[in-house]
Amino acid sequence: MKRQLIAAVGVAAMVVGVAACSSDGDKTSDAGKATGGSSKAADYSGKTLTVWFMDGSNPKQWTTDLTAAFEKQYPGAKLKIEVQGWNGIGQKVTTALSEDTPPDVLEIGNTQTASYAATGGLMDLTADKSSLGGDNWAENLNKASVYDGKQYAAPWYFANRVVIYNKKLWSKAGLSDTPKTLDEFYDDLGKLNKTSGVDQALYLPGQEWYTYFGLVLSEGGSVAQLSGDKWVGALDTPAAKAAFQTYAKLQSFSKAPKDKDEATPQQSDVFAKGNVGAMIGLGWEAGGAITANPALKDDIGYFPLPSKEAGKPAGVFLGGSNLAISANSKNPELAKGFLKLALSDQFEGAMAKEAGIVPNNPQLNDQAKDNPFAVAAIAASASGATTPGVPEWAAVENTPNPIKDFLTAALQGKDYDSTAKKYDDEMNKRLSQKQ
């Protein structure tokens, strides 16, 4: 799911921008305290807490400050941060969690959490939720940290797609403000397509299923739903059909291929050419466009994709990362202490400010007020959700992704109802396979 989801959020938003062996178990009851621990230095002498972060997820200053705070709070202990690459990370984590000396703390994608929890690889944090700050976590952000009614991880940070637009081209088209409704957005896109120098008003590939997911939310539905105690595909529902009509209309303003996703070609490279009015994407994609074409730096703006209702953003897919503790960690209380620090208002707020992400606690949203991408993303995040929190969902996203293939077929003119049923059947088959 995540691929490069937040891998360059800090760069993308034009700002700056953790498995391995642990020593013997923690013996001190005070180890889980987030601040003001009174333990003696000898209690932690020789201990090493290993944390896995994904490439691009831990901003430099945030990491430096967190390390210093952790090692000050737990004298004698060392924090060992290991940054992992995305390629093959699923199997690497699965293998690590099955070993006797796994990483103590891991960053895991929010849609991956249920899969790892189901194998018994993650520590049950239900009794620790409040002490970790969980009473203030946004419910829709925390949902992916819960499996089978238990808390197996803590929500860390999130990002969702917004409209990234070329202000120079919008001005050339006579557009002085951003749209507040979908109809206004359609009108703006029509004007852009009639403007000299604009190759396409909106770059929206046919298989950008994350945007479609959000549009289904806007219609009060989901791409999958519970039927009894089983998750089943819901592409044949009225909500999904209405969302597709919106998606198809948006796609009609685009020259993007109907049978490719946002990474084929990379949409930030297309936007970087400077002749595309807008794209729907993540902050790092804006950053990628600026890297490819520095002249765009002052020409990029952001706003939430509007819904049919004035002033209300469309639904969004909430992608992000959770922090979890390995069930076999040799330093469980020390690991909980690390989580308390990382998730504290101080460090969660600093993360939002430095990386321009959506924090787990809405009370900290103001920390990202100077980051234009984050401001737009936060405005839409309240209307967001993620995929079903079951381990079987991972199979749905495996190639070939049936939601992607459904979108291509429907955009190419196939009968909606029969096409939706075909791909619902494929989702049902995958969702019924025990992981």
Side-chain angles (χ1 to χ4, degrees):
M1 182 282 297
K2 288 193 57 174
R3 200 164 50 224
Q4 293 176 317
L5 182 63
I6 318 287
V9 164
V11 174
M14 284 80 75
V15 296
V16 177
V18 247
C21 297
S22 298
S23 59
D24 52 48
D26 193 296
K27 302 175 183 177
T28 306
S29 60
D30 286 338
K33 293 182 180 178
T35 58
S38 58
S39 302
K40 297 178 180 180
D43 292 340
Y44 305 105
S45 179
K47 292 182 180 293
T48 298
L49 189 81
T50 303
V51 180
W52 278 11
F53 284 139
M54 295 307 302
D55 185 21
S57 288
N58 55 314
K60 184 176 181 180
Q61 190 60 50
W62 181 89
T63 303
T64 298
D65 293 344
L66 179 63
T67 300
F70 176 83
E71 294 184 354
K72 179 179 180 180
Q73 184 176 318
Y74 301 102
K78 295 297 181 182
L79 183 63
K80 182 180 182 183
I81 291 176
E82 297 183 345
V83 176
Q84 306 299 318
W86 289 104
N87 189 32
I89 188 59
Q91 186 55 53
K92 187 172 185 178
V93 170
T94 298
T95 299
L97 290 176
S98 69
E99 297 176 341
D100 292 335
T101 55
D104 297 290
V105 177
L106 308 90
E107 172 192 351
I108 51 180
N110 59 346
T111 65
Q112 303 163 345
T113 303
S115 178
Y116 298 136
T119 66
L122 303 182
M123 182 179 295
D124 182 356
L125 299 175
T126 305
D128 303 286
K129 179 183 176 182
S130 291
S131 66
L132 293 175
D135 295 340
N136 294 320
W137 296 337
E139 183 178 356
N140 64 334
L141 301 181
N142 182 50
K143 192 172 182 180
S145 293
V146 177
Y147 171 66
D148 199 23
K150 297 180 179 180
Q151 191 83 35
Y152 281 100
W156 184 26
Y157 70 87
F158 303 85
N160 47 265
R161 287 162 176 78
V162 302
V163 179
I164 301 168
Y165 72 105
N166 186 316
K167 292 188 286 187
K168 181 180 290 185
L169 295 181
W170 280 56
S171 179
K172 191 174 182 180
L175 303 173
S176 59
D177 198 5
T178 55
K180 301 302 183 288
T181 67
L182 268 174
D183 283 340
E184 290 182 8
F185 192 32
Y186 298 147
D187 289 344
D188 291 349
L189 294 175
K191 292 176 182 177
L192 281 162
N193 266 343
K194 296 177 182 178
T195 301
S196 175
V198 177
D199 179 62
Q200 52 189 316
L202 176 69
Y203 187 83
L204 180 64
Q207 295 189 342
E208 213 288 79
W209 74 276
Y210 300 111
T211 293
Y212 175 66
F213 180 100
L215 293 174
V216 178
L217 291 178
S218 292
E219 298 291 346
S222 179
V223 296
Q225 62 188 9
L226 274 174
S227 177
D229 61 350
K230 295 182 179 180
W231 283 94
V232 297
L235 300 174
D236 64 346
T237 60
K241 189 171 186 177
F244 176 77
Q245 293 170 347
T246 299
Y247 187 84
K249 187 163 186 177
L250 289 171
Q251 218 271 331
S252 71
F253 293 98
S254 178
K255 293 182 180 180
K258 292 179 171 59
D259 60 349
K260 303 295 181 183
D261 64 16
E262 70 285 354
T264 316
Q266 177 50 248
Q267 66 177 6
S268 61
D269 293 336
V270 178
F271 189 80
K273 295 177 182 179
N275 59 3
V276 176
M279 64 177 174
I280 300 172
L282 296 161
W284 71 264
E285 292 175 301
I290 293 169
T291 298
N293 182 4
L296 287 175
K297 182 178 180 180
D298 296 325
D299 293 335
I300 290 181
Y302 311 86
F303 61 88
L305 178 66
S307 70
K308 296 175 181 178
E309 182 180 340
K312 181 180 179 180
V316 291
F317 174 87
L318 290 171
S321 283
N322 298 328
L323 292 178
I325 299 176
S326 301
N328 291 335
S329 169
K330 297 300 186 291
N331 294 297
E333 295 305 314
L334 202 57
K336 292 177 185 179
F338 173 84
L339 257 60
K340 290 177 184 179
L341 274 172
L343 300 168
S344 67
D345 286 358
Q346 175 187 352
F347 286 101
E348 185 74 5
M351 182 76 174
K353 184 174 183 178
E354 186 173 353
I357 48 79
V358 179
N360 59 26
N361 180 357
Q363 298 175 27
L364 302 175
N365 286 348
D366 194 53
Q367 294 292 323
K369 65 182 179 180
D370 296 327
N371 188 300
F373 167 76
V375 170
I378 287 170
S381 66
S383 301
T386 189
T387 52
V390 293
E392 293 81 13
W393 181 260
V396 175
E397 294 188 30
N398 287 342
T399 303
N401 182 323
I403 306 176
K404 289 184 177 183
D405 288 348
F406 155 73
L407 289 171
T408 292
L411 287 170
Q412 291 176 339
K414 298 290 180 65
D415 174 72
Y416 184 92
D417 294 331
S418 59
T419 300
K421 184 179 185 308
K422 174 183 176 180
Y423 289 102
D424 275 343
D425 288 345
E426 177 59 29
M427 276 202 280
N428 296 344
K429 186 186 304 181
R430 299 187 188 197
L431 287 166
S432 66
Q433 296 173 355
K434 292 299 180 183
Q435 302 300 302

